[in-house]
Amino acid sequence: ETHGITFRIQISVKELLDTDVLLKLLFHLPVNYPSTLPDISVNSDQLTRAQCMDVKDKLLEQAKKHLSEPMVHDLILWIQQHLKYVIKQSATVCNEKTTLSKGTSTEDGIWMLLLHLDHMRAKAKYVKTVEKWASDLRLTGRLMFMGKIILILLQGDRSNIKEYLILQKTSKVDVDSSGKKCKEKMISVLCETKVQSQHKRFQTFEVKEYSTLDELQKEFETAGLTTLFSEFVPPLLK
């Protein structure tokens, strides 16, 4: 495969108050792994989004120490032993961490992603899932419906955009023709680029329906994305 492999691991870890924390770890191993670091996504119902991001950052720090050697098993053992210290540290350096992350995101800049979905069979559930992911990852933008066209336009930190893409491609977000839950296989990444000065920043994430192509075009134009629209949207009508 040209995209490498992705797999999920769930582990239960004793945290500070001896309560069990269920960590859901998702590893995407690129084709040149372990010479290249894996993409890691961390979720847990018992932790806040900020704590999950801290766990992810610590895992990536550890991963750098194991570059060029198989590392997933070592990373799992490490987080089982160190989770409570990561959580404790997360609470004590929360303010400092916020300042640091602001500096980091300024360096990387804000990124933008435009996705095209072929269809949504379980529309209500699918929309709720996309809204939750955007909220959890602090992404703004639009989920846009116009006739049979479905577009997702996202803005946010590049690492969060990448994490969204992993979730979108690996989670069971829809149902197939027989009603069984299935992963999204009919998705196209139309554009992934850094937000430029002429682009307007979206302040929220909204789900919108448009009755005409002109209405959809105005949404893009208002955001300073006329070129993006003309390059990628009209070809979808053919």
Side-chain angles (χ1 to χ4, degrees):
E1 282 214 22
T2 54
H3 302 298
I5 59 167
T6 300
F7 58 91
R8 295 172 179 277
I9 296 174
Q10 290 198 150
I11 54 171
S12 185
V13 188
K14 285 264 188 245
E15 209 249 307
L16 283 172
L17 304 170
D18 287 333
T19 53
D20 285 343
V21 172
L22 186 65
L23 277 185
K24 300 168 187 174
L25 306 173
L26 188 143
F27 292 89
H28 174 252
L29 309 185
V31 282
N32 43 0
Y33 166 86
S35 302
T36 303
L37 291 177
D39 279 326
I40 303 172
S41 174
V42 179
N43 281 291
S44 174
D45 294 336
Q46 288 86 24
L47 302 180
T48 65
R49 188 70 216 161
Q51 288 172 326
C52 287
M53 294 297 278
D54 282 336
V55 171
K56 173 187 165 180
D57 290 345
K58 293 295 182 188
L59 282 170
L60 285 171
E61 276 178 30
Q62 290 301 310
K64 287 174 186 170
K65 298 176 184 177
H66 295 281
L67 202 57
S68 297
E69 60 187 64
M71 64 184 79
V72 173
H73 184 249
D74 289 320
L75 295 179
I76 291 165
L77 290 178
W78 186 87
I79 199 60
Q80 283 178 314
Q81 294 164 4
H82 294 86
L83 178 66
K84 60 184 175 184
Y85 304 111
V86 174
I87 301 306
K88 197 173 182 180
Q89 193 179 20
S90 175
T92 54
V93 300
C94 187
N95 294 332
E96 182 188 339
K97 173 92 178 157
T98 306
T99 312
L100 286 171
S101 66
K102 276 181 185 167
T104 310
S105 65
T106 308
E107 276 177 40
D108 292 342
I110 300 301
W111 279 68
M112 178 167 59
L113 178 71
L114 181 63
L115 300 172
H116 172 239
L117 299 181
D118 185 72
H119 61 269
M120 283 184 183
R121 283 198 176 93
K123 184 177 175 181
K125 178 181 174 293
Y126 205 134
V127 168
K128 272 190 179 177
T129 302
V130 170
E131 286 179 313
K132 184 179 187 308
W133 288 343
S135 171
D136 286 349
L137 294 166
R138 300 188 293 280
L139 300 174
T140 60
R142 300 284 184 268
L143 169 52
M144 301 176 276
F145 295 92
M146 200 288 295
K148 290 186 176 180
I149 292 178
I150 307 168
L151 298 169
I152 302 176
L153 180 61
L154 298 169
Q155 293 178 344
D157 288 350
R158 193 175 189 186
S159 61
N160 290 1
I161 292 266
K162 284 190 169 186
E163 191 164 341
Y164 177 92
L165 258 180
I166 292 173
L167 287 168
Q168 179 77 63
K169 290 176 177 177
T170 59
S171 305
K172 290 186 177 179
V173 286
D174 207 0
V175 295
D176 61 20
S177 53
S178 62
K180 288 182 182 174
K181 288 183 180 179
C182 66
K183 294 176 185 175
E184 178 57 74
K185 292 175 182 171
M186 306 285 283
I187 185 170
S188 308
V189 178
L190 299 179
C191 180
E192 186 178 356
T193 184
K194 198 169 182 177
V195 170
Q196 304 301 319
S197 54
Q198 70 269 26
H199 300 151
K200 181 186 164 193
R201 286 290 312 278
F202 290 108
Q203 298 304 309
T204 57
F205 182 81
E206 294 176 33
V207 180
K208 299 185 85 170
E209 304 223 8
Y210 309 85
S211 51
T212 66
L213 191 63
D214 283 346
E215 282 182 20
L216 182 61
Q217 186 170 352
K218 278 176 187 165
E219 182 76 76
F220 277 80
E221 286 174 353
T222 305
L225 301 171
T226 307
T227 308
L228 190 74
F229 175 87
S230 56
E231 188 175 346
F232 295 106
V233 181
L236 299 175
L237 295 168
K238 292 174 183 174

